[in-house]
């Protein structure tokens, strides 16, 4: 079902547009100040549900990256931040959590306008955003080294210190602008690092607003710098000799550039990349849960989620019934203006993304797949100007088709039957990626065997995409390395120093 904006939502937005969108160009945050780019250049960010310009944003070039990295370095080595105790960093994180909670309506509205996520979804991210900040606030005072018994001759004692890695370059994609920015900022503040964050050019606004809240929370100047711009700015940042660590989330292709760029000064790197995750439904599953579960494992955020369960493997005895039920469910989803609280699927983020996804729809059909639902861009009525694609499930898919192998990043499921558990584990692993996976079954043995057999960073049993600040998330294989969330995430931002202390002989 396709909807347009309700009168209620229209009124709400007209009466309370976010104050942040005041028509002025949005500036870079460098060294605690909002500044234009050195070149004076700006770029436009668009509302993907209308195709209209939302704001002008400063475009960072190499000189701006130099300035931001220098500010982060100064803040790390000389600024008051370097003297902050764990308790002080915790207090900053807790204040930031309170501010994010207080301003969440504005933040989620900005995200909905800038990247098209339905307001029902972006506003539901409040709990996670705030919880992430409070969780890392807790870890700020709970991080420590060890004393280690060694076997070296003599009276010699050893212990480890945990030290912040230094200046972090954080580079993000557009599919969850606010949440991804919080996920990068929180461990930096918890560990005592400093950072330069480059949000994605398609949706840079909520990270900039978050930067303002960082200042309000008492994050000292230079600790969190935010530079908006394109891939060249990201490239300059990831090659910069003043950066100690890169935390990148984005495509595998750009992740490979990042890893190469890191080699110049041996930066620490964590890379959270793309996926083509298998979602496996056994015949004994609770189908009333599995049908919406399998659908929303892909259609959430219009398929623009790295761990989307896009390869749907269904045990042969229930395959035909199951895919028909997923198609029927897809047809009930409300695709429409993301400001409408009833909307379940908004537009894709950009015309480029629309072109990419419709290209895959065409290639699926050309290779012989059959669209049981969707299969095309929505071109009718109020949605015609936006980048809307109907939720699609393809049947008659084979493992070798492009739609079964490549990350589409749109609302497209490729469904395939399977017969045995060994076969589905092998086919599930037959991909360069290894990010997420789902298993739907009542048989605990099957659930365990599949969970162990799949080479992926997360496996969800009878659920999909559950996330929590305490549970690590990340990839195997070409989905990247490093973990975000959990205590593992803190380690990505810490150095371990071994200290040896030999007791001098007693004075006679
Ligand atoms: P992208 O890789 O095109 O861009 C990501 C960021 O990298 C942007 O800020 C971009 O400006 C920057 N960039 C581009 N070229 C660069 C270069 N040469 N050097 C440094 N930075 C550069 O990704 P995208 O299209 O914005 O996002 C979609 C991708 O992100 C998908 O592949 C998706 O799976 C992935 N993703 C992964 C996770 C995860 O946790 N694993 C989460 C969200 C998204």
């Amino acid at each position: 079902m396709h909807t347009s904006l309700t009168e209620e939502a229209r009124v709400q937005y007209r009466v309370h547009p976010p104050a942040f969108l005041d028509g002025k160009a949005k500036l870079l945050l460098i060294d605690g100040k909002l500044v234009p780019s050195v070149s004076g250049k700006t770029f436009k960010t668009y509302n993907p549900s209308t195709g209209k310009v939302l704001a002008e944003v400063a475009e960072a070039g190499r000189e701006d990256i130099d300035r931001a990295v220098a500010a982060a370095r100064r803040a790390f080595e000389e600024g008051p931040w370097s003297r902050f105790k764990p308790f002080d960093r915790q207090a900053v994180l807790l204040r930031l959590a309170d501010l994010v909670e207080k301003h969440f309506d504005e933040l989620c509205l900005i995200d909905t306008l800038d990247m098209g996520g339905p307001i029902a979804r972006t506003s539901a991210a409040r709990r996670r955003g705030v919880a992430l900040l409070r969780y890392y606030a807790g870890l700020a005072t709970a991080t420590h080294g060890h004393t280690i018994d060694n076997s070296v001759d003599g009276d010699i004692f050893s212990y480890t210190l945990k030290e912040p890695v230094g200046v972090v370059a954080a580079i993000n994609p557009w599919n969850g602008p606010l949440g991804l920015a919080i996920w990068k900022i929180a461990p930096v503040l918890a560990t005592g690092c400093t950072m330069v964050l480059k949000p994605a050019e398609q949706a840079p606004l909520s990270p900039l607003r978050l930067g303002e809240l960082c200042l309000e929370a008492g994050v000292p100047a230079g600790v969190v710098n935010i530079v908006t711009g394109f891939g060249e700015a990201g490239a300059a940042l990831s090659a910069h000799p003043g950066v100690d660590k890169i935390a990148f989330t984005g495509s595998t292709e750009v992740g490979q550039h990042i890893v190469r760029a890191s080699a110049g000064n041996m930066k620490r790197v964590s890379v959270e990349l793309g996926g083509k995750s298998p979602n496996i439904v056994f015949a004994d599953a609770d189908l009333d849960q599995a049908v919406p579960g399998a659908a929303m494992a892909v259609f959430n955020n219009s398929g623009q989620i790295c761990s989307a369960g896009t390869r749907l493997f269904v045990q042969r005895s229930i395959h035909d019934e199951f895919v028909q039920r997923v198609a029927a469910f897809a047809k009930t989803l409300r695709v429409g203006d993301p400001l409408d609280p009833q909307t379940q699927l908004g537009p894709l983020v950009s015309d480029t993304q629309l072109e990419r996804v419709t290209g895959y729809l065409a290639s699926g059909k050309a290779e012989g797949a059959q669209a049981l639902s969707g299969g095309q861009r929505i071109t009718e009525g109020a949605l015609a100007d936006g980048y809307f694609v109907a939720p699609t499930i393809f049947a008659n898919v084979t493992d070798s088709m492009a739609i079964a192998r490549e990350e589409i990043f749109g609302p497209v499921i490729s469904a395939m039957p399977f017969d045995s558990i060994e076969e589905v584990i092998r086919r599930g692993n037959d991909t360069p990626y290894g990010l997420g996976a789902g298993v739907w079954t009542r048989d605990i043995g099957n659930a365990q065997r599949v969970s162990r057999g799949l080479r992926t960073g997360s496996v969800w049993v009878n659920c999909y995409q559950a996330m929590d600040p305490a549970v690590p998330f990340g990839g195997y294989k070409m989905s990247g390395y490093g973990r975000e969330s959990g205590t593992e995430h803190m380690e990505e931002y810490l150095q371990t120093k071994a200290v040896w202390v030999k007791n001098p002989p007693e004075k006679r």
Side-chain angles (χ1 to χ4, degrees):
M1 188 194 300
H2 310 151
T3 65
S4 59
L5 191 57
T6 59
E7 198 44 37
E8 187 192 355
R10 243 182 251 285
V11 170
Q12 196 187 1
Y13 174 52
R14 252 202 323 264
V15 177
H16 305 289
F20 187 66
L21 296 179
D22 54 5
K24 295 189 195 137
K26 297 295 134 197
L27 303 176
L28 311 174
L29 173 59
I30 297 180
D31 210 9
K33 293 182 203 72
L34 296 170
V35 293
S37 60
V38 171
S39 68
K41 278 197 198 163
T42 60
F43 64 99
K44 294 177 173 57
T45 178
Y46 296 85
N47 178 341
S49 54
T50 60
K52 296 211 173 93
V53 174
L54 192 60
E56 290 273 342
V57 183
E59 180 183 336
R62 185 172 294 276
E63 317 79 17
D64 304 292
I65 298 297
D66 286 344
R67 280 195 300 168
V69 172
R73 174 62 58 195
R74 270 195 311 278
F76 181 69
E77 287 179 1
E78 302 157 25
W81 184 241
S82 59
R83 296 183 291 280
F84 269 48
K85 299 286 186 192
F87 173 79
D88 305 319
R89 300 200 300 271
Q90 180 178 63
V92 165
L93 273 158
L94 290 174
R95 283 198 297 274
L96 183 58
D98 290 346
L99 285 167
V100 166
E101 194 163 40
K102 181 171 157 202
H103 293 278
F104 206 84
D105 288 346
E106 178 196 359
L107 290 162
C108 69
L109 183 53
I110 295 172
D111 262 5
T112 288
L113 294 169
D114 206 11
M115 66 76 60
I119 196 77
R121 175 182 165 79
T122 56
S123 58
R126 179 191 306 259
R127 182 180 156 87
R128 174 168 167 75
V130 174
L132 274 169
L133 290 161
R134 297 211 172 113
Y135 174 76
Y136 287 89
L139 289 184
T141 54
T143 298
H144 48 74
H146 298 286
T147 59
I148 303 168
D149 264 349
N150 66 68
S151 304
V152 170
D153 280 349
D155 188 5
I156 181 164
F157 163 69
S158 48
Y159 63 93
T160 55
L161 291 174
K162 291 290 179 185
E163 297 181 340
V165 74
V167 174
V168 176
I171 302 176
N172 270 346
W174 44 263
N175 62 331
L178 178 68
L180 290 169
I182 291 175
W183 219 1
K184 292 285 190 282
I185 290 174
V188 162
L189 296 181
T191 52
C193 292
T194 61
M195 79 190 301
V196 180
L197 169 68
K198 195 202 88 60
E201 56 272 32
Q202 297 87 344
L205 296 176
S206 67
L208 287 173
R209 179 70 183 111
L210 184 63
E212 293 181 356
L213 296 180
C214 285
L215 297 181
E216 205 178 323
V219 175
V223 173
V224 173
N225 303 277
I226 304 189
V227 291
T228 44
F230 293 89
E232 302 82 69
L237 192 52
S238 44
H240 203 291
V243 168
D244 301 300
K245 175 195 158 63
I246 311 176
F248 174 73
T249 302
S251 62
T252 295
E253 190 190 343
V254 174
Q256 289 175 314
H257 287 298
I258 299 271
V259 172
R260 285 187 207 106
S262 73
N265 64 332
M266 289 295 172
K267 295 175 181 72
R268 286 268 291 273
V269 184
S270 48
V271 273
E272 298 276 357
L273 309 175
K276 191 73 189 173
S277 299
N279 196 11
I280 299 168
V281 184
F282 284 91
D284 70 346
D286 178 335
L287 300 191
D288 291 341
Q289 279 188 18
V291 167
M296 297 318 289
V298 176
F299 299 146
N300 252 327
N301 216 27
S302 296
Q304 302 167 117
I305 297 186
C306 50
S307 53
T310 46
R311 287 186 299 147
L312 177 62
F313 292 101
V314 187
Q315 205 157 23
R316 195 175 299 274
S317 61
I318 59 158
H319 174 271
D320 292 355
E321 176 202 344
F322 191 83
V323 295
Q324 287 298 348
R325 283 182 65 179
V326 173
F329 179 84
K331 289 174 191 163
T332 67
L333 292 171
R334 294 170 68 100
V335 184
D337 192 299
L339 284 172
D340 182 340
Q342 303 298 319
T343 291
Q344 291 164 290
L345 270 79
L348 299 174
V349 73
S350 63
D351 50 356
T352 312
Q353 193 61 19
L354 177 71
E355 218 170 282
R356 176 188 168 90
V357 173
T358 49
Y360 277 109
L361 295 176
S363 106
K365 290 174 196 165
E367 286 196 273
Q370 183 195 0
L372 301 181
S373 70
Q376 76 284 324
R377 176 183 184 183
I378 298 171
T379 49
E380 65 209 45
L383 306 188
D385 292 336
Y387 314 130
F388 294 88
V389 168
T392 301
I393 174 163
F394 273 125
N396 287 344
V397 178
T398 60
D399 292 331
S400 61
M401 289 181 186
I403 56 166
R405 304 208 64 77
E406 296 169 21
E407 186 180 46
I408 300 174
F409 229 55
V412 185
I413 297 176
S414 298
M416 293 165 279
F418 74 91
D419 293 297
S420 72
I421 187 166
E422 294 74 21
E423 172 206 336
V424 81
I425 292 173
R426 179 182 50 73
R427 289 170 66 198
N429 282 332
D430 183 17
T431 168
Y433 296 113
L435 195 54
V439 192
W440 300 81
T441 178
R442 286 195 171 92
D443 182 328
I444 189 76
N446 278 352
Q448 300 279 11
R449 282 172 68 197
V450 174
S451 303
R452 291 197 187 143
L454 290 175
R455 301 198 56 226
T456 62
S458 298
V459 181
W460 291 284
V461 179
N462 296 324
C463 58
Y464 207 88
Q465 268 151 0
M467 301 282 269
D468 187 89
V471 181
F473 177 85
Y476 280 32
K477 304 196 282 183
M478 290 185 81
S479 292
Y481 46 82
R483 290 292 176 269
E484 295 196 314
S485 286
T487 50
E488 285 86 346
H489 198 183
M490 295 286 280
E491 287 297 324
E492 306 280 350
Y493 291 78
L494 292 167
Q495 289 281 18
T496 300
K497 179 181 281 176
V499 182
W500 296 80
V501 184
K502 185 167 184 174
N503 282 337
E506 272 177 42
K507 259 193 175 166
R508 289 162 209 240

